[in-house]
Amino acid sequence: MAAYVLVLLGPQHIWWWAFEGLRPFQLVALATIAGFVLAIARHDIGTTFLKTRINLFLVILLACMTLSYLFGPYVEYGPGPRHFDPAWLYKLTINIFLFYFIAVLCINDDRKFRYLSLVMVFSVAYLIYWINKQYLTGMAWGRIGGPWSPAGGHFTDENFFALLVVMGLPFLYFLGFYYKNLIIRYGLWLIIPFGWHAVFLTGSRGGLIGLATILAITVLRSPKKWIGVLLIPLFIVAYQWQAGDVMRDRAQDIRSVDETTTAQTRFQAWNAGLEMMKAHPLIGVGLASFGPAFPNYSPYPARVAHNAYIEVGAENGVLAFIVYIGIYLTAIMTLWRKKPMQLWMQPGHEKHYLYLMNEALLVSFVGFAVSALALSAHYHEGFFYLLILINFIYVKKMQASTESR
C-alpha cells in the first residue's frame, strides 16, 4: 500500500521539502521485500493468486522485454533520437514487475483488497483537489500537469496525469453505492465533476476520449441506471461551461486529419511501428529503441509511437504485442461477466464491495485501454496497480464459479 501511495499519489513530489535527503520508495521497497521474505518463511503466502492467465501473459511479456533489451538491434545505437536509456528503463521494468508479483501474492484476502483499492480513491481525490487548487489560485495556467518537485514527478506530463484521473473516477462513482452514510456517498460523487474539470485543465485529448469512454461504460454498468444516465447531461453542461479554450481547441483536432495535425503525425508513427514489427517480428527493434529505429522505417521526423500496443510490439516483437493485447482482453472479459456475482450484487452481502469494485475496475480498465491507443502508456504504473486488483477479482470469480457447480 505504501509503495502504491508513492506511485499514484506521489507525496514525495507534492511535499518534496519533507522528503529531502530521503529515498522513500527505496525505504518502502526494502521493508516490503523483508516482510515478504518473512511471510514466505512463515508459510503465510500461497500461490493461488499467482496461477492465472493474466500473470502468465505478464511473465511472457517480461521475457520478451528481456530478450529485446539484450539482443535488440537498436539498443546500442540507431539513426534516430533516443527518448529513454534502455538500461534505466529495463531496471524500472524489473522493479515494476517485482512489486506487481509481490503484491499479487500478498493481497490474498478481501480485507487487504479493500485497503489497496482505497489507495486509488484517496490518491485521485487529493490530486483532483490539487490541480483545481493550482488553477483557482493562479499558481499554474495553460495546460496543467501533475505535481512536480526538483527531482521531477510521476505525472508532470499532462496526458498521463489526465489518464490517472480517468482511471480513478470510476472508483469514486461505484464506491458511492457502497456507503449508506449519505455524507460519504454524496461527498464521493461531488468530487466527480471536479475530476472532469481536472481533465479539462490538462488539455489532454486522450483524457477527453477517456472521459467519454468511462462515461458510456458507467451508464451501462451502473447499479442504478437513472443515476448513470444523469451523468451524461451533467457532463455536457460541465464541458460547455468549464472546458476552456485550450481544451476546446485541442478537442477540434480529434476530428481533423490535416497533415499538420497531431493526429496525422501519430498515424505516421503507428505506420513506422508496424513496419518495425514486420522487419523484426521475434524480438523487435529493442527496448526503448523506437526513436533510434524510426528513420529506417519512416521518412517522417522521429517520435514516440503514442500507442502503447504498437510500441510494445515494435520494441519487443510480435509475441509481446499479442500477449499485451491478451492481458487487456482477459481482464475485460473477466470483469464484464456478471454470472458468478448475482448474490454479490445485493446490498449488504459480504461480497458486495467486490461486486462494486468489479464494476469500477471494468470501467477504469476500459478507459485505460482506449487511452492507450493514443498514449505510450505501457509503463504507466497505474496499469499494474489495476491488474493487481483485477487479478484478485479474477481468482475470486473462478472460485465462486467452481463452488456454484
Side-chain angles (χ1 to χ4, degrees), residues 280-320:
H280 302 277
L282 295 181
I283 59 173
V285 296
L287 192 70
S289 299
F290 190 91
F294 196 101
N296 287 344
Y297 300 95
S298 174
Y300 300 102
R303 57 182 63 87
V304 296
H306 283 291
N307 182 303
Y309 309 94
I310 290 177
E311 191 155 341
V312 165
E315 292 189 346
N316 306 288
V318 173
L319 179 59

Side-chain angles (χ1 to χ4, degrees), residues 375-395:
L375 288 174
S376 298
H378 44 298
Y379 295 109
H380 196 295
E381 288 172 301
F383 169 76
F384 291 86
Y385 168 82
L386 292 182
L387 283 182
I388 295 165
L389 300 176
I390 292 171
N391 187 77
F392 185 91
I393 294 285
Y394 180 98
V395 172

Side-chain angles (χ1 to χ4, degrees), residues 190-241:
L190 184 61
I191 299 171
I192 292 174
F194 289 96
W196 296 340
H197 187 242
V199 174
F200 299 157
L201 291 175
T202 66
S204 171
R205 286 169 292 220
L208 186 61
I209 293 172
L211 282 182
T213 301
I214 65 171
L215 187 61
I217 305 300
T218 296
V219 172
L220 289 175
R221 303 291 293 205
S222 178
K224 292 187 177 180
K225 291 293 187 292
W226 70 270
I227 297 179
V229 171
L230 183 62
L231 290 175
I232 297 176
L234 289 176
F235 178 77
I236 293 173
V237 170
Y239 180 79
Q240 294 296 328
W241 181 33

Side-chain angles (χ1 to χ4, degrees), residues 221 333-345 355 358-359 397-398 400-401 404-405:
R221 303 291 293 205
M333 289 171 62
T334 297
L335 296 170
W336 193 274
R337 290 194 294 265
K338 289 187 176 181
K339 188 174 181 180
M341 297 192 302
Q342 284 85 345
L343 293 177
W344 302 4
M345 296 167 67
Y355 155 67
N358 180 95
E359 303 305 287
K397 280 190 166 184
M398 294 303 102
S401 297
S404 65
R405 298 194 191 104

Side-chain angles (χ1 to χ4, degrees), residues 67-224:
L67 291 173
S68 172
Y69 170 65
L70 294 175
F71 305 109
Y74 292 90
V75 171
E76 296 295 335
Y77 58 88
R82 187 172 296 283
H83 302 102
F84 301 102
D85 175 57
W88 171 84
L89 189 58
Y90 184 68
K91 181 181 178 181
L92 175 65
T93 300
I94 292 297
N95 289 337
I96 291 173
F97 276 83
L98 174 63
F99 259 82
Y100 169 82
F101 285 112
I102 288 177
V104 161
L105 290 167
C106 290
I107 306 301
N108 54 14
D109 62 44
D110 292 5
R111 180 178 59 91
K112 296 174 185 176
F113 173 87
R114 180 177 302 185
Y115 289 152
L116 186 62
S117 66
L118 290 176
V119 170
M120 175 63 87
V121 176
F122 291 123
S123 297
V124 77
Y126 185 84
L127 289 172
I128 288 171
Y129 158 77
W130 180 90
I131 192 173
N132 278 282
K133 180 183 176 183
Q134 301 299 305
Y135 169 73
L136 292 172
T137 59
M139 295 178 66
W141 55 89
R143 295 185 65 192
I144 306 176
W148 61 88
S149 69
H154 292 315
F155 301 114
T156 52
D157 182 286
E158 299 89 355
N159 295 309
F160 288 110
F161 186 81
L163 178 55
L164 180 65
V165 175
V166 167
M167 291 164 56
L169 289 177
F171 285 74
L172 300 175
Y173 177 76
F174 286 96
L175 191 60
F177 290 102
Y178 181 74
Y179 291 102
K180 295 180 180 179
N181 186 311
L182 295 183
I183 295 177
I184 298 177
R185 172 178 294 183
Y186 293 124
L188 289 169
W189 288 348
L190 184 61
I191 299 171
I192 292 174
F194 289 96
W196 296 340
H197 187 242
V199 174
F200 299 157
L201 291 175
T202 66
S204 171
R205 286 169 292 220
L208 186 61
I209 293 172
L211 282 182
T213 301
I214 65 171
L215 187 61
I217 305 300
T218 296
V219 172
L220 289 175
R221 303 291 293 205
S222 178
K224 292 187 177 180

